[in-house]
Amino acid sequence: MTRVFLSLVAMACLGLAACTTPGNDGTSLGTGVYKIRNPDKLQFRMLDSVNALRQAGGKAPLQLHSALNAAAATHSKDMALQNRPWHFGSDGSSPLDRAIRAGFTGRVLGETISESYENEVQTLTAWMENSAARAVLMDAKAVNMGFSWHQEENGKIWWTLITGT
């Protein structure tokens, strides 16, 4: 059932991308490297996608939380500097440490990360196919979400999503 839903979501996104002119879907013309366009809207697009999956799974929707967004942004940049995807900062910080530093007063439930050259829909699909990442996204206790990324000049993107109460 989940794979069918993910397939439908992916097909819908591809269908919408087919309705745009070349280059408007975020890819660079001629290079094939995904470049994030409209970054001010990307967090909302991811929130909408996560909430659609949560709704299909019978879970309550999440809301973006500015402190969690800040913690996610810090970690995405730090992973790029370290050139490795992992949950610990270069200073030894955990997701909880980073959320507290950013001013989050709730409880951190989980963090999912990725390094890729893929867009946010492909990244979310990969997360949903991974049981640990899926558990973070679909945690029934989650109320808040933080999401951010860092894109290198070569196109590599470091993604971070954090959930909390």
Side-chain angles (χ1 to χ4, degrees):
M1 174 84 168
T2 300
R3 286 193 182 267
V4 171
F5 180 77
L6 286 174
S7 296
L8 290 173
V9 169
M11 287 189 304
C13 290
L14 288 174
L16 289 173
C19 296
T20 63
T21 57
N24 287 347
D25 63 352
T27 58
S28 296
L29 294 174
T31 65
V33 174
Y34 179 78
K35 292 290 184 187
I36 294 173
R37 301 246 199 277
N38 300 314
D40 55 323
K41 297 178 182 171
L42 182 56
Q43 288 174 320
F44 297 105
R45 290 194 310 260
M46 181 60 85
L47 177 67
D48 290 345
S49 296
V50 168
N51 281 338
L53 293 168
R54 288 177 63 85
Q55 180 180 16
K59 307 290 190 273
L62 301 177
Q63 59 186 6
L64 283 176
H65 194 285
S66 60
L68 291 179
N69 287 341
T74 297
H75 192 54
S76 292
K77 289 175 188 167
D78 192 43
M79 285 190 297
L81 289 172
Q82 296 180 71
N83 196 33
R84 64 177 168 184
W86 72 326
H87 294 284
F88 295 98
S90 57
D91 62 354
S93 62
S94 70
L96 175 61
D97 297 328
R98 291 186 296 275
I100 289 170
R101 283 184 202 157
F104 185 65
T105 58
R107 192 175 82 170
V108 172
L109 296 174
E111 177 183 74
T112 186
I113 58 173
S114 179
E115 82 176 294
S116 72
Y117 291 91
E118 299 172 333
N119 65 37
E120 67 276 6
V121 173
Q122 293 166 316
T123 300
L124 180 57
T125 300
W127 282 342
M128 289 299 287
E129 290 175 352
N130 175 287
S131 61
R134 180 182 172 81
V136 170
L137 296 167
M138 301 301 285
D139 189 333
K141 296 180 294 268
V143 175
N144 298 303
M145 181 181 104
F147 173 70
S148 196
W149 67 93
H150 174 76
Q151 186 164 29
E152 297 178 2
E153 287 185 25
N154 67 6
K156 184 189 279 188
I157 307 170
W158 301 85
W159 304 98
T160 305
L161 188 147
I162 307 170
T163 60
T165 60

